[in-house]
Amino acid sequence: MSEKHNSAGDVKTTGHVWDDDLEDFTNQPPRWWMLGLTASALWVVVYWTMYPGIPVALAGTHFKGLGLPGLSLHLPGTDPKDDGKWSAIKELAQDQAVLDEVRGPYEAKLKTMTPAAILADAQLSEYVARSGKVLFADNCAACHGQNGVGTRQTGAKFAQREQGLMAPILLDDDWLYGGTIDTIHETISGGRQGMMVAHKDTLSVQQIDDVAKYVKAMSEEGGKEKADADPAVAAGMKVFAESDCTACHGADAKGMAAMGSANLTDKVWRFDGSLEGIKQTITYGVNSGDPSSRVAIMPNFVAAGKLSPVEIKKLAVYVFKFGGGKVDAPAAPAVAEGPAAAPAATN
Amino acid sequence: MREPVQKKNPEVVGVTSIYHEHEEWAVNLGDSTVHAKRMPGRFRTLKYITSSLWLFFFFASYVRWEGKQAILLDVNNRQFHFFELTILPQDIWMVSLLLLIMAMTLFAVTSVASRVFCGYFCFQTVWVDMFTWIEGKIEGNPNQRHKLDAAPWDARKIRIKVMKHVIWLAIAIFTGISFTVWFVDAHQYWHDLLHLNLSLMEWATLIAFTLGTYFLAGFMREQVCMWLCPYARIQAVMADSQTILPTYDVKRGEPRGRLRRGAEADSSNAAQGDCIDCFQCVQVCPTGVDIREGQQLGCITCGLCLDACDSVMDKIGRPRGLIRYASLDEIEGRPVKKLYQHPRTFVYLAILLGALGGVVYGLSHLGALTLRVAPERQPLYVTMSDGSIQNKYTFKVLNKTANDLFVNVTAEQGVKGQIIIGAEQPKLVTHGRSTSFTIFVKAPAENIEKEVNPIEFYVKNAEHPDMVAEYTTMFNGPKR
């Protein structure tokens, strides 16, 4: 070891002394450090010229850098001379190419397959379920709720309507237009518009009151017996059978998937299921043109240019796998089916 | 070794005079290379033996077991192979216990015998020892080395230095290779290496470890222990007055003085201590400290100064042990406590045993299947059209066997009359990674008595029903 020490006298100082004995050495920084500093300074120049780092715009253009070695990516609509030059959009394109490489084989298969075939393929349907989650959140969740839980109005009034659900819950096994993979696909492809006329002019207030009680009774346990006990329910049953209700909801009130009429006998309500809510629906209808009518419009996402065919297939499988999809059930009870012959339970 | 610098002006008055104490610190700043002398002895031999344990690091990765590498930390495929055993990332919690065991072993040993790890096992110590051994073989003894360092660059010096650095680099490269082959198949790696066909990560690892070894062991040496290593600091604070560590017996040694002719016969010479100030202890020290200054940061407790001092004591006919493994209590004449009177050590040992128990439990309960079930949280349940309540569960089944297999899903507890939907057919579970699938459970609303009902899921191997994994979770119903 050397005999030198920091306070030794043979090191040059700046000549300044503070507090009696604090002195400033004039030691040079280590050579490796100076070399590093110089190299960094040179690198700045290289870096600046390779990348579009110089903020100078001349004649409507800007300095695009000299380009990076090994980079030759042509973006559509750009000058081929710029293929070797870095840009943020190119970096994005490169990253997306990595993603596309993984997704490519799946996406290629999806193009030609039917939704039912995709559903049958365990690996593909797993892939679709994952990418469908994003599509659903972007396009569907606004009305159907995150994960398809439905959105309910939270305040007393929402957009001047008190109708319960904005859009149907997609997790249960009740489907207005049918729950097979193909009908779900059809629904997403073309959109849906519910239709129920307003009955305020065709039915009296009393009649509406009676039929609402009957409709509510049908969805409850022992509802059929109530007709015997409660004269209002019995009157409502009569109104239901004799007015135009059965034309859409069927004689058994189980609805018709072909026209999207609701099954009135189950526990799932499209709109407010309270007696008041039912009366409101009957009085003003659905999409009837009346200012107080229920609103039930699913837009056509294809016509709006929002979804590609593959994306619709993905969403169909995704929605089907929510838990309510029907594997090989008939699309819906047929119109011709007898009132009593239909099975009691829909699932 | 630098001598303590004398105060220039001990008479300075005022507050700033306390800074003059700094000048008494003798610190090895690495401004000149420590060329330590090599002397034979008990601790030198012990150090060779403990160092040779590192041969395990170099060669154990080539052991094959049933056609595969016996010990392979396959990070790329997230599998860790130890002979028969394959550990998947899901069991990685045991690694935290393993780290705890290692830490507690370090602590316990340090509390008893100070920096045993530093002196005998640490890779820095061992590699520096290896590098300086080679240096000694090529450049000669410490005096010759000092001379060579100072000599002008001529053909001889260049030849010697180039030879030394080539050998150092060769060892460094082999160290890099040996490190990497714990994480990739060794045979494949050598094949790829010889074809210069390594992956980017493998090149990076190799280069980083080669350069790291070369610079840390070849150039930084004891400076790593003094300025870089956090363990040096941790261990230093864990030594107490009961800890034994290489200590200079001040009472016996002082006042030190050079040996005078004829003095060796007169061992009762009260005017002079046993230390003959021969500086052998300093010359053999790999970190270049003077142990006679007392316990200090630079001491890695390797015991080489004990060997040096003992050999000198033998020569001058004094008893060995002027520098010896001793506790501060012993040297200062306080009553020496027994090992079992050191409660701190037992706390370390208790934690160590606890962690060891955890690892043993983990290894004996690895199981072939593990099941995790995540109930859907949004929504917690769905009312179906018939009024029944449906819950959705995401199953994650980990198959730790070597083959794909089919499992059946069953449930116990939960709600009366519940139906499992989605597992009508046995489910395929691929091996080596987690397979996930969705299961629905539907139950009649009238049977659901509570908002939250525990439900126990089982997945059973369809062919061997005794291979089973279970998971308890909740079945959610409407508010009651």
Side-chain angles (χ1 to χ4, degrees):
Chain A
M1 292 292 127
S2 79
E3 299 297 321
K4 271 191 285 180
H5 194 268
N6 277 351
S7 60
D10 56 349
V11 180
K12 280 187 184 157
T13 71
T14 55
H16 300 130
V17 182
W18 294 269
D19 291 346
D20 302 341
D21 58 353
L22 278 182
E23 291 169 281
D24 235 3
F25 288 158
T26 54
N27 282 327
Q28 285 293 313
R31 183 172 299 147
W32 65 264
W33 192 89
M34 288 304 293
L35 287 174
L37 180 71
T38 316
S40 309
L42 290 174
W43 173 242
V44 168
V45 178
V46 176
Y47 190 88
W48 254 42
T49 47
M50 284 168 75
Y51 283 87
I54 301 168
V56 175
L58 289 173
T61 174
H62 66 279
F63 180 68
K64 290 175 183 167
L66 298 177
L68 305 182
L71 176 71
S72 64
L73 180 67
H74 181 73
L75 287 182
T78 59
D79 189 340
K81 278 190 287 184
D82 292 342
D83 285 357
K85 297 181 179 176
W86 182 91
S87 71
I89 200 84
K90 244 181 226 182
E91 198 163 284
L92 175 71
Q94 280 176 320
D95 289 350
Q96 279 178 333
V98 175
L99 268 184
D100 289 344
E101 198 177 324
V102 178
R103 293 174 176 170
Y106 294 109
E107 297 287 335
K109 275 192 205 169
L110 292 179
K111 272 188 185 143
T112 54
M113 287 173 85
T114 64
I118 296 168
L119 190 64
D121 185 321
Q123 204 187 3
L124 263 183
S125 67
E126 184 69 24
Y127 167 78
V128 163
R130 278 155 204 255
S131 53
K133 193 177 173 69
V134 179
L135 287 172
F136 189 88
D138 285 352
N139 296 289
C140 315
C143 294
H144 289 286
Q146 200 67 36
N147 294 351
V149 298
T151 43
R152 280 161 212 279
Q153 57 189 86
T154 46
K157 290 201 172 221
F158 178 76
Q160 305 301 311
R161 297 185 295 273
E162 295 174 18
Q163 66 172 30
L165 286 168
M166 294 294 301
I169 296 172
L170 300 176
L171 304 171
D172 58 36
D173 56 350
D174 181 42
W175 300 91
L176 291 167
Y177 296 90
T180 65
I181 182 74
D182 288 327
T183 47
I184 294 171
H185 183 249
E186 187 189 314
T187 301
I188 303 170
S189 303
R192 297 289 187 188
Q193 284 215 28
M195 203 280 289
M196 175 166 166
V197 293
H199 292 83
K200 59 181 181 185
D201 301 327
T202 51
L203 295 177
S204 71
V205 173
Q206 182 60 47
Q207 281 176 313
I208 289 173
D209 199 50
D210 291 344
V211 82
K213 281 180 180 155
Y214 171 65
V215 166
K216 185 153 176 64
M218 276 193 290
S219 72
E220 287 164 1
E221 300 297 329
K224 303 269 185 231
E225 291 76 45
K226 274 195 187 160
D228 304 330
D230 189 341
V233 174
M237 185 163 76
K238 193 153 170 281
V239 175
F240 189 87
E242 290 171 2
S243 69
D244 58 355
C245 302
T246 50
C248 296
H249 289 287
D252 61 353
K254 286 184 185 299
M256 295 176 198
M259 57 199 309
S261 56
N263 180 347
L264 302 175
T265 63
D266 65 17
K267 312 264 177 177
V268 179
W269 291 96
R270 169 64 184 87
F271 302 111
D272 184 2
S274 69
L275 190 61
E276 283 308 305
I278 296 168
K279 272 162 44 178
Q280 171 92 3
T281 310
I282 298 169
T283 310
Y284 301 107
V286 179
N287 296 340
S288 63
D290 188 283
S292 298
S293 120
R294 304 293 195 198
V295 176
I297 299 171
M298 171 151 164
N300 184 332
F301 282 83
V302 177
K306 291 266 186 190
L307 294 173
S308 72
V310 168
E311 285 171 333
I312 288 174
K313 285 183 207 173
K314 282 181 181 176
L315 279 171
V317 173
Y318 180 70
V319 169
F320 182 92
K321 285 175 75 123
F322 269 144
K326 303 202 171 178
V327 181
D328 50 1
V335 184
E337 215 167 344
T346 48
N347 63 303
Chain B
M1 187 61 212
R2 179 184 299 112
E3 302 274 350
V5 172
Q6 295 303 311
K7 290 178 189 174
K8 275 191 296 189
N9 181 9
E11 307 303 322
V12 168
V13 288
V15 181
T16 57
S17 66
I18 61 168
Y19 293 111
H20 289 277
E21 284 181 12
H22 272 269
E23 296 176 11
E24 295 191 347
W25 282 82
V27 185
N28 176 356
L29 290 170
D31 41 4
S32 86
T33 313
V34 173
H35 285 302
K37 193 169 157 185
R38 247 162 225 271
M39 289 177 84
R42 281 183 298 163
F43 291 102
R44 180 71 258 180
T45 311
L46 181 61
K47 193 161 171 168
Y48 281 135
I49 293 169
T50 55
S51 298
S52 64
L53 291 176
W54 280 98
L55 292 173
F56 180 81
F57 164 78
F58 282 108
F59 299 108
S61 46
Y62 300 100
V63 176
R64 308 298 279 187
W65 186 263
E66 290 173 357
K68 284 190 269 186
Q69 190 161 326
I71 305 174
L72 178 62
L73 310 173
D74 192 350
V75 175
N76 286 340
N77 298 313
R78 297 178 196 175
Q79 293 181 359
F80 306 93
H81 302 281
F82 302 93
F83 296 91
E84 286 284 273
L85 215 59
T86 297
I87 295 179
L88 298 174
Q90 283 76 5
D91 295 311
I92 214 78
W93 57 272
M94 280 188 281
V95 171
S96 60
L97 291 185
L98 188 68
L99 293 175
L100 192 62
I101 290 173
M102 284 156 67
M104 284 305 138
T105 310
L106 186 75
F107 290 6
V109 169
T110 306
S111 72
V112 172
S114 184
R115 292 164 63 179
V116 172
F117 172 75
C118 293
Y120 300 97
F121 298 97
C122 175
F123 35 84
Q124 178 65 22
T125 308
V126 170
W127 260 251
V128 167
D129 201 43
M130 190 177 2
F131 273 43
T132 52
W133 182 80
I134 290 162
E135 193 173 58
K137 289 289 163 203
I138 294 172
E139 297 185 357
N141 64 33
N143 274 343
Q144 291 166 320
R145 279 186 256 167
H146 277 302
K147 264 183 208 153
L148 187 70
D149 287 348
W153 284 95
D154 56 12
R156 178 180 158 274
K157 181 171 174 177
I158 290 172
R159 183 175 53 76
I160 289 175
K161 288 284 180 189
V162 165
M163 185 156 76
K164 179 182 83 174
H165 286 286
V166 165
I167 294 175
W168 278 5
L169 269 173
I171 294 175
I173 291 170
F174 190 51
T175 304
I177 293 170
S178 302
F179 177 81
T180 318
V181 293
W182 288 90
F183 299 95
V184 291
D185 187 276
H187 291 192
Q188 183 64 38
Y189 180 83
W190 274 102
H191 177 271
D192 291 347
L193 179 67
L194 296 176
H195 289 76
L196 300 179
N197 196 23
L198 295 181
S199 71
L200 181 67
M201 201 62 202
E202 287 167 339
W203 279 123
T205 311
L206 177 59
I207 290 169
F209 272 79
T210 301
L211 294 182
T213 309
Y214 178 63
F215 283 109
L216 291 181
F219 297 91
M220 295 289 283
R221 300 196 183 176
E222 84 285 349
Q223 298 300 314
V224 173
C225 312
M226 294 187 137
W227 311 116
L228 287 183
C229 182
Y231 297 103
R233 313 296 160 112
I234 295 171
Q235 293 188 77
V237 298
M238 281 190 303
D240 59 17
S241 65
Q242 260 184 279
T243 308
I244 58 163
L245 68 174
T247 313
Y248 168 64
D249 190 339
V250 173
K251 287 182 179 160
R252 204 186 121 188
E254 299 294 326
R256 67 183 80 156
R258 290 194 179 275
L259 191 66
R260 283 165 291 136
R261 206 170 287 278
E264 57 196 277
D266 183 13
S267 60
S268 60
N269 184 357
Q272 194 170 322
D274 278 353
C275 177
I276 59 166
D277 212 11
C278 64
F279 273 88
Q280 290 298 306
C281 56
V282 179
Q283 288 190 20
V284 297
C285 181
T287 59
V289 301
D290 187 346
I291 192 67
R292 295 172 300 171
E293 288 173 11
Q295 295 180 1
Q296 57 198 293
L297 182 67
C299 177
I300 58 170
T301 78
C302 63
L304 295 181
C305 51
L306 277 66
D307 286 342
C309 192
D310 282 350
S311 72
V312 170
M313 289 297 117
D314 288 351
K315 275 180 198 151
I316 63 168
R318 302 264 163 82
R320 289 183 164 197
L322 177 59
I323 303 173
R324 63 178 183 276
Y325 267 100
S327 67
L328 210 57
D329 284 345
E330 183 188 338
I331 293 296
E332 295 187 345
R334 287 193 291 265
V336 177
K337 287 182 188 154
K338 295 279 193 295
L339 193 57
Y340 61 79
Q341 289 170 314
H342 204 196
R344 199 152 55 89
T345 307
F346 289 97
V347 173
Y348 293 145
L349 286 176
I351 300 172
L352 194 157
L353 288 176
L356 197 63
V359 171
V360 169
Y361 172 86
L363 288 178
S364 56
H365 287 73
L366 278 177
L369 283 176
T370 55
L371 173 65
R372 297 278 180 278
V373 180
E376 179 69 43
R377 297 188 199 286
Q378 189 198 22
L380 289 170
Y381 62 89
V382 176
T383 308
M384 303 306 272
S385 58
D386 62 352
S388 59
I389 302 297
Q390 180 167 290
N391 276 215
K392 183 182 183 181
Y393 300 92
T394 305
F395 274 53
K396 282 197 159 72
V397 185
L398 181 66
N399 172 1
K400 296 181 191 174
T401 66
N403 306 304
D404 294 356
L405 47 85
F406 285 92
V407 292
N408 288 314
V409 178
T410 54
E412 277 176 22
Q413 298 187 41
V415 178
K416 206 173 126 224
Q418 66 195 14
I419 317 163
I420 299 176
I421 303 164
E424 293 74 14
Q425 304 295 322
K427 291 280 187 186
L428 175 68
V429 177
T430 49
H431 72 279
R433 62 192 185 89
S434 157
T435 305
S436 70
F437 49 84
T438 306
I439 294 291
F440 297 99
V441 174
K442 192 162 79 169
E446 60 269 22
N447 293 349
I448 303 173
E449 285 157 3
K450 288 177 292 180
E451 206 179 331
V452 173
N453 308 275
I455 183 167
E456 224 167 74
F457 285 109
Y458 295 88
V459 290
K460 285 181 190 158
N461 185 336
E463 287 168 18
H464 305 285
D466 51 332
M467 188 193 285
V468 60
E470 61 167 275
Y471 193 86
T472 306
T473 180
M474 296 298 160
F475 183 92
N476 294 294
K479 272 206 172 79
R480 295 278 153 187

